[in-house]
Amino acid sequence: MKKIQIQSSDGPLEICCRDEGNGSPLVFLHAFPLSQRMWDGQLAALAERFRVMTFDWRGFGDSELRGDVFTMEQFADDLRALLDALELDRVTLCGLSMGGYAAFAFMRKYAARVANLILADTRAGEDLAAARQGRLDMARRALTEGAGVIADLMIPRLLAPATIRNHPEINARLRAIIEANDPRAIAAAQAGMAARADATALLEQIRCPALIIVGGEDALTPPSEAKKMFDRLPGAQMAVINGVGHLPNLEAPAEFNRIVTGFLTPEPF
Ligand code: MLT
């Protein structure tokens, strides 16, 4: 892990990132309420073929916290500043869930910097009023009750029932990642997600190669949401990983990595 000082739209900010391997750059955008540690199973395996980067969004993991609403546009600006600091012009972006929401904001502002787009377990639509209220309630609980309560609430939504039953080690890893986060970051990200823009119309304007991945048992952003994106995204590919939930990269890392690698390095005819 290294700390990098980026020049974001609201001033200098310290971002914690990992940057390993050689080849075309592949940047992973983590989900809520996790950190770049969710990508451990990608970093080691994929760095054999690509230059793989993971980082903590502002306030999460070991990155500096600033602000009490993390909008997806702010995340996009932070990412642009990180790419500038690393002198990376164009990259493949792989965003999972909240990482996907941030990827949409990045596409809106900085599409020229994206060579390929991977959208995993995310949705293009904005929240309905009840979902928005649910986010604000969770933000309040994070601030008053701490990250442990958020882990209790989120883990059953993030993992497939079979993963919870058969893989206590994944469960424990996920809990450790969530509990290491600052409750203020959890609250700020929920507030930012509640305010995010609808990206449905944006999908039709995306011109780079795109891949949609979804866990077959994803309860938060189910395959029906992935299919809606697929139907609107010109020329996209879609892969369903059966038997796993919202975090296929953690629940089925070998399959997830195989799909990503296949998309980025197609077999020649
Ligand atoms: C995530 O996995 O990033 C979140 O569950 C997304 C969300 O709450 O919409």
Side-chain angles (χ1 to χ4, degrees):
M1 298 245 187
K2 58 180 174 186
K3 295 264 173 96
I4 297 196
Q5 175 106 324
I6 64 164
Q7 301 300 323
S8 197
S9 47
D10 61 351
L13 188 78
E14 203 168 69
I15 291 291
C16 182
C17 79
R18 296 177 293 185
D19 179 2
E20 291 180 16
N22 294 299
S24 58
L26 169 56
V27 181
F28 285 101
L29 312 179
H30 74 76
F32 169 90
L34 309 181
S35 71
Q36 64 177 311
R37 288 174 54 203
M38 72 173 271
W39 301 116
D40 287 356
Q42 280 61 57
L43 191 68
L46 294 173
E48 288 172 13
R49 298 180 87 137
F50 307 102
R51 178 173 170 189
V52 182
M53 270 153 290
T54 70
F55 66 98
D56 295 324
W57 292 118
R58 62 168 59 205
F60 285 92
D62 293 311
S63 286
E64 187 181 343
L65 184 140
R66 177 169 320 136
D68 49 17
V69 179
F70 299 162
T71 63
M72 300 304 105
E73 290 70 29
Q74 184 66 64
F75 278 164
D77 288 346
D78 291 351
L79 173 57
R80 197 260 315 140
L82 179 64
L83 298 185
D84 288 350
L86 295 168
E87 297 185 351
L88 284 167
D89 184 26
R90 293 183 83 221
V91 300
T92 294
L93 279 189
C94 175
L96 192 145
S97 201
M98 181 179 78
Y101 307 156
F104 286 133
F106 193 84
M107 291 302 294
R108 220 177 251 117
K109 296 184 90 162
Y110 309 114
R113 312 260 325 234
V114 183
N116 303 284
L117 179 64
I118 303 173
L119 296 166
D121 299 84
T122 193
R123 71 171 79 231
E126 62 188 341
D127 290 340
L128 300 176
R132 226 172 260 147
Q133 188 54 49
R135 291 191 188 284
L136 302 180
D137 291 344
M138 191 186 286
R140 191 179 30 76
R141 289 194 69 179
L143 294 174
T144 53
E145 298 173 59
V149 166
I150 303 306
D152 295 341
L153 291 171
M154 289 300 295
I155 290 172
R157 303 183 197 173
L158 293 170
L159 299 177
T163 308
I164 294 183
R165 238 183 359 259
N166 303 328
H167 291 282
E169 77 290 355
I170 296 181
N171 208 325
R173 223 170 107 209
L174 193 54
R175 178 169 291 278
I177 292 174
I178 297 173
E179 289 186 349
N181 277 325
D182 187 322
R184 291 173 298 172
I186 294 174
Q190 276 294 29
M193 286 192 287
R196 76 186 190 283
D198 194 303
T200 309
L202 175 78
L203 289 169
E204 282 158 14
Q205 292 158 24
I206 292 175
R207 292 289 169 265
C208 68
L211 168 68
I212 295 164
I213 304 177
V214 65
E217 315 285 316
D218 185 342
L220 282 172
T221 51
S224 55
E225 288 294 336
K227 179 70 170 52
K228 276 195 227 163
M229 293 192 292
F230 176 70
D231 288 342
R232 284 179 173 260
L233 222 166
Q237 300 175 35
M238 178 166 154
V240 181
I241 304 183
N242 288 321
V244 300
H246 189 62
L247 300 175
N249 71 301
L250 266 178
E251 300 177 70
E255 180 70 353
F256 185 90
N257 295 346
R258 190 187 61 72
I259 291 167
V260 168
T261 303
F263 169 63
L264 293 176
T265 51
E267 293 291 322
F269 288 104

